[in-house]
Amino acid sequence: MPSRASRALALIAALTLSACATRPTDPAALRAYEETNDKWEPLNRTMFDVDQALDAALIRPVAWTYRKVTPEPVRDGVSNALTNIRSPVVFLNDLLQGQGTRAAITIARFVVNSTLGIGGLFDVAKRMGTPGHGEDFGQTLAVWGVGDGTFLYLPLLGPTSVRDGFGLGVDAFAFDPFSWYSYNPHNNQSVQWYLLGAQLVDAKSSTMATTDELKKSSIDYYAALRSAYRQYRAREIRNGAPAPAGSMPAFDDEEGDPFAPEKPQAPK
Amino acid sequence: MKRRDFIASAALLCLMPELAFAQAKSASDTISTFAQEGIVQILEAKISPAEKAERFRALFNRDFDIPAIARFVLGRAVRTATQPEQDQFLKVFEDVIVYTWTRRFSEYNGQSLKVADTAPDGPDGTVVNARIVGNSGDQSFGVAFRMRLRPEGWRIVDVIVDGVSMAITYRQEYASIIAQQGGMPGLISQLQTRAKELAKQQGVG
């Protein structure tokens, strides 16, 4: 008799396969399908619904209460401290991307903020003219030339991709010193989970205004979020540099400026 | 030729390139003017929300190339859409954008826009990079305007915040609706519902 685990795996596999979007054969539709790059769209939309339900029932009330009961300086302090704690992960990814200067900035900020900034509560380094930056293993893989893979929507974690989801796991369970700490069975195992929970609420509380705005102005919030996430992510990978010229999607088989002024339409 | 006439025509000749230049206001001046007029005539003006929406609609029509944006946003669907569908879309798309922007007007708190620099955007365009600066100065953020030169002057075709382009996001969202929820008629009717909701929430329309 197959074990419970293998039956569960078989169920997940069946769900995943049946949840695959069908690949169109029409060339123009195929191009649109490839641009969307969301092979698991039906499954992702289900996970998106689960995420939205969890968000409404749990995360949002917590983040909302958190915003209500704490003054902004306190939230900034917590946010700063959580960012500071993540410095080793950023440093490691700076190095893996061959960004020596950025790695030095990360380490210098970590030292200054942990000491003068009282355990990272105050971003003293920024006030001294050295603002920080984020990095993660998904971005490192992108710099190494790994494509983002198909889109992935994870409950609680939100929009991501196969590459970035994998990167998230590597950061959390291999690069983060707090995970090393919890690998020792003599240590408190809950610390890492508390930290992840805190990071989640902090991230939610700081992105809530932007995502709410997108939700109100969109008629397919999932599709809008998928697009906005990809563009935001592409900019993070470029370390904030503007998009290279010609990276805008053009009309499928037309040449030239996608914003060209109206020309007389050929009779249909 | 009399001496006076000569001086007059010489002065005119010297001025002419200036005049030609002044006629086509630069891309960054177009953005500065747009922001300045928006702040004075809409955001700081003591007028009703409905009046703010109408003033914004006028400014939006003057400085944005809405038909070009609408065609970009529809993507390949523009080829198969009928003329009435295109006209309906153009109208409701304008409404959705106007009411999406006017929703935020009540949150205005003295922010201003500073043009930073411009860069070429394709063979015949310019991108104007600017910053929205708040009172505290700390919470400033970057915004880029993609511009195209039309016979009437520079027009905005896209607004990019944090690397996220308004036009691309709408385009990819609407492509999903068109493919999965009833093509162009489905998109138009959903947008009409949303535009009505947004207008109602603000007591306009």
Side-chain angles (χ1 to χ4, degrees):
Chain A
M1 191 173 152
S3 73
R4 194 176 288 182
S6 63
R7 261 187 296 172
L9 273 179
L11 182 69
I12 292 170
L15 272 174
T16 314
L17 286 177
S18 65
C20 279
T22 24
R23 196 181 164 84
T25 43
D26 167 55
L30 184 65
R31 205 166 305 142
Y33 172 84
E34 276 164 0
E35 189 183 303
T36 315
N37 194 9
D38 191 358
K39 269 182 231 148
W40 303 328
E41 183 165 345
L43 178 69
N44 279 335
R45 281 196 186 258
T46 307
M47 293 205 276
F48 170 75
D49 291 341
V50 171
D51 176 68
Q52 293 295 297
L54 278 173
D55 189 72
L58 185 71
I59 308 298
R60 179 170 296 263
V62 172
W64 188 84
T65 314
Y66 172 62
R67 281 183 85 92
K68 277 280 154 193
V69 300
T70 54
E72 205 179 331
V74 172
R75 288 201 302 276
D76 287 348
V78 171
S79 201
N80 287 340
L82 288 169
T83 308
N84 191 53
I85 277 177
R86 227 184 147 269
S87 296
V89 176
V90 177
F91 172 71
L92 216 52
N93 282 299
D94 281 335
L95 282 186
L96 289 172
Q97 292 176 28
Q99 297 276 359
T101 313
R102 280 166 70 95
I105 287 173
T106 303
I107 230 28
R109 279 176 46 83
F110 183 62
V111 170
V112 169
N113 284 345
S114 301
T115 51
L116 294 176
I118 315 173
L121 283 173
F122 300 95
D123 194 345
V124 184
K126 187 179 173 184
R127 277 180 226 174
M128 287 159 60
T130 311
H133 59 264
E135 277 303 343
D136 54 69
F137 194 58
Q139 293 187 51
T140 300
L141 287 173
V143 170
W144 290 352
V146 179
D148 53 0
T150 193
F151 184 72
L152 189 62
Y153 200 99
L154 297 174
L156 295 178
L157 297 176
T160 183
S161 66
V162 169
R163 179 196 65 208
D164 296 341
F166 173 74
L168 212 67
V170 171
D171 286 329
F173 298 107
F175 287 180
D176 189 350
F178 277 90
S179 69
W180 310 340
Y181 171 85
S182 64
Y183 289 146
N184 184 339
H186 299 295
N187 288 335
N188 187 340
Q189 300 296 304
S190 338
V191 174
Q192 199 190 359
W193 297 107
Y194 285 139
L195 202 61
L196 281 174
Q199 278 167 343
L200 204 67
V201 171
D202 172 57
K204 187 82 210 171
S205 128
S206 57
T207 56
M208 216 154 70
T210 314
T211 52
D212 281 359
E213 197 60 54
L214 191 63
K215 190 173 183 170
K216 277 173 193 146
S217 67
S218 60
I219 46 177
D220 186 344
Y221 181 37
Y222 170 86
L225 201 57
R226 179 175 63 196
S227 172
Y229 167 75
R230 283 230 178 89
Q231 296 174 57
Y232 182 77
R233 198 60 194 154
R235 181 170 170 273
E236 278 191 323
I237 292 163
R238 296 191 304 265
N239 289 340
S247 65
M248 288 285 288
F251 281 124
D252 48 353
D253 48 8
E254 260 172 43
E255 292 295 316
D257 183 21
F259 291 108
E262 190 155 25
K263 17 179 204 251
Q265 289 250 319
K268 289 199 179 89
Chain B
M1 188 187 263
K2 281 184 200 157
R3 187 184 150 83
R4 200 179 50 196
D5 288 347
F6 172 76
I7 292 173
S9 47
L12 201 66
L13 272 175
C14 292
L15 271 175
M16 255 163 62
E18 291 294 313
L19 285 174
F21 186 75
Q23 222 166 18
K25 194 163 53 173
S26 74
S28 49
D29 283 350
T30 305
I31 294 300
S32 303
T33 312
F34 172 71
Q36 197 48 40
E37 293 187 0
I39 289 169
V40 174
Q41 296 172 12
I42 304 172
L43 294 169
E44 286 178 344
K46 305 245 178 308
I47 49 175
S48 71
E51 212 167 325
K52 286 191 178 190
E54 281 326 296
R55 283 192 187 179
F56 176 71
R57 189 188 290 274
L59 209 57
F60 181 53
N61 269 287
R62 190 192 70 190
D63 286 347
F64 282 70
D65 187 346
I66 307 174
I69 300 170
R71 273 194 313 283
F72 175 81
V73 161
L74 282 181
R76 62 195 185 91
V78 86
R79 302 254 189 79
T80 45
T82 64
Q83 196 57 49
E85 280 174 343
Q86 292 190 27
D87 297 344
Q88 277 178 311
F89 175 77
L90 187 62
K91 186 186 175 302
V92 75
F93 180 59
E94 180 186 314
D95 282 349
V96 166
I97 294 187
V98 166
Y99 297 135
T100 302
W101 284 41
T102 51
R103 275 187 61 245
R104 306 170 188 158
F105 288 173
S106 58
E107 294 159 21
Y108 180 70
N109 185 25
Q111 291 88 343
S112 60
L113 183 138
K114 305 245 180 300
V115 170
D117 56 25
T118 61
D121 180 27
D124 45 19
T126 291
V127 57
V128 176
N129 294 303
R131 291 199 79 75
I132 309 278
V133 189
N135 283 330
S136 54
D138 199 33
Q139 287 168 329
S140 80
F141 64 95
V143 50
F145 297 89
R146 301 185 72 187
M147 316 273 295
R148 293 292 180 271
L149 186 60
R150 304 294 188 228
E152 317 83 55
W154 285 98
R155 293 290 179 269
I156 303 163
V157 291
D158 195 10
V159 181
I160 302 169
V161 177
D162 276 347
V164 180
S165 137
M166 193 184 84
I168 297 179
T169 309
Y170 278 129
R171 177 185 166 110
Q172 296 185 337
E173 180 194 351
Y174 294 174
S176 164
I177 300 262
I178 292 169
Q180 297 175 16
Q181 297 177 52
M184 278 298 282
L187 175 68
I188 291 166
S189 82
Q190 290 203 41
L191 284 173
Q192 283 167 340
T193 312
R194 176 52 50 94
K196 271 194 205 110
E197 283 167 9
L198 286 169
K200 208 173 141 192
Q201 281 164 16
Q202 300 163 56
V204 295

